[in-house]
Amino acid sequence: VAATVLSYVMHPYRPKLSLGAGSEIWAFSKWIVVGNFGRFLTLRIDEFVVGRIAGTAIMGAYHVASDLATLPIQAIVGPMGRALFPSFSKLSQRPDLFAQSYVTVVGFVAFVAAPVGFGIAAVAEDFIAVILGAKWATAAPLIQWLAIISMASALTRNTATFLMALGRVRTFAILTLFQVAVLAPAVILAGISGDAMTIVVTRTIVTALFVPISLYVITTALPLSPVQTLAAIWRPFVAGVVMAAIVRALHADSIQNHLVTLTMDIFVGAVSFSCLVPVLWFLSGRPPGVEDHVLQFVSRFWKRLRRH
């Protein structure tokens, strides 16, 4: 009610009840409904299966681990779709500019998702102990895999935004239903033959397989090759893997304070990733990408700082 009242206060548009454009709207929105239903199943089907085969304690740990692994990335990536949709809709008649902007956005998402996803996976034990306490230690192995799932999903999170901006909502719905058709039986079989860990590993594999499929579907709608998309995301992912390895190698097992070791690991990870990314960028010939934008921002900030 409050949101409805505020919408009238903040914007002068006053819609009137009419069914005149009902068929036109439904032709578009029915695929959004189908796609969103499919997306819901891809996000929750594993929890349904875990809840069916496991006890309350395991279900609780799984659900909490899923929320903690997903929240940091989706809190950043999720709002991007709502903000980007109007801009990409305007670019739908300019495929060349759309393709350039798409590559930039996917590159930025990768630079956010890779360090966060691999970082959470690397510090899962201390992360759980600090945030929830030692009684939730059983969630740590789960959050390691779920962080990888969240990272992979982040790359395709805004696929719906891009396809809707291009007017291809039917493609979005079919792609989502196809993922459900693969994921659901795979997770159910994993639940029958294994445990919660088997389920989460299965979901990780299926999610990872659908990342290149989703990215490829976008490239077929634009003057864009899969190689261009790969060029925008490989550096942060390589840097994220190496960063996680460094964090695990330098983890101070002798220190028993989880907050101290978590702080140390985050510092090591931040420094490692910040050093690895520019090194990989220079080694690959300094191609256009997020690094360019960051460098320009730092340069402008430094010049402004010097003037003042």
Side-chain angles (χ1 to χ4, degrees):
V1 171
T4 303
V5 172
L6 283 174
S7 71
Y8 278 84
V9 173
M10 297 173 68
H11 201 281
Y13 176 62
R14 298 291 179 265
K16 295 179 181 179
L17 182 61
S18 172
L19 300 178
S23 59
E24 181 184 351
I25 293 174
W26 178 242
F28 186 87
S29 61
K30 66 183 179 183
W31 294 113
I32 297 178
V33 172
V34 172
N36 285 339
F37 179 70
R39 177 185 287 176
F40 170 77
L41 290 178
T42 61
L43 293 175
R44 295 299 181 187
I45 186 67
D46 54 334
E47 293 188 12
F48 296 158
V49 176
V50 170
R52 184 71 177 85
I53 68 166
T56 305
I58 295 176
M59 178 58 194
Y62 194 97
H63 183 74
V64 169
S66 179
D67 284 348
L68 285 178
T70 303
L71 181 61
I73 295 176
Q74 297 304 337
I76 300 172
V77 177
M80 285 178 60
R82 295 188 291 273
L84 290 171
F85 182 71
S87 300
F88 277 98
S89 295
K90 293 178 182 178
L91 293 174
S92 60
Q93 303 304 317
R94 296 287 305 276
D96 52 339
L97 291 179
F98 196 115
Q100 293 175 16
S101 301
Y102 165 76
V103 171
T104 300
V105 170
V106 170
F108 176 79
V109 170
F111 271 87
V112 173
V116 175
F118 286 119
I120 291 176
V123 301
E125 295 87 352
D126 288 333
F127 182 65
I128 287 291
V130 171
I131 300 297
L132 299 177
K135 61 183 179 181
W136 288 94
T138 54
L142 295 171
I143 203 173
Q144 291 177 319
W145 288 96
L146 289 165
I148 303 300
I149 292 173
S150 179
M151 176 185 60
S153 298
L155 286 175
T156 59
R157 170 79 178 188
N158 289 319
T159 298
T161 300
F162 300 126
L163 291 175
M164 283 192 290
L166 290 168
R168 301 198 177 194
V169 286
R170 185 170 178 267
T171 303
F172 157 65
I174 293 173
L175 178 64
T176 308
L177 291 179
F178 178 46
Q179 185 171 358
V180 173
V182 175
L183 180 62
V187 168
I188 291 171
L189 288 174
I192 294 173
S193 60
D195 52 11
M197 185 59 69
T198 308
I199 292 172
V200 74
V201 172
T202 302
R203 185 186 164 193
T204 303
I205 294 171
V206 174
T207 303
L209 288 174
F210 269 88
V211 170
I213 294 174
S214 298
L215 296 179
Y216 176 75
V217 168
I218 295 291
T219 61
T220 59
L222 295 169
L224 188 69
S225 71
V227 175
Q228 289 173 281
T229 305
L230 180 62
I233 64 177
W234 75 267
R235 293 186 300 276
F237 275 87
V238 171
V241 171
V242 177
M243 176 203 72
I246 292 173
V247 169
R248 296 299 295 179
L250 299 181
H251 180 73
D253 293 318
S254 58
I255 300 176
Q256 300 301 314
N257 189 305
H258 293 290
L259 180 58
V260 172
T261 52
L262 178 61
T263 304
M264 292 171 60
D265 287 345
I266 291 174
F267 176 77
V268 170
V271 172
S272 301
F273 189 81
S274 300
C275 293
L276 287 165
V277 165
V279 169
L280 292 173
W281 184 53
F282 275 100
L283 290 176
S284 57
R286 296 191 295 178
V290 176
E291 298 93 340
D292 264 332
H293 294 285
V294 173
L295 194 61
Q296 292 171 15
F297 173 79
V298 172
S299 177
R300 288 195 299 267
F301 178 78
W302 177 248
K303 288 178 181 177
R304 192 178 298 114
L305 192 64
R306 290 184 65 181
R307 283 200 301 266
H308 292 287

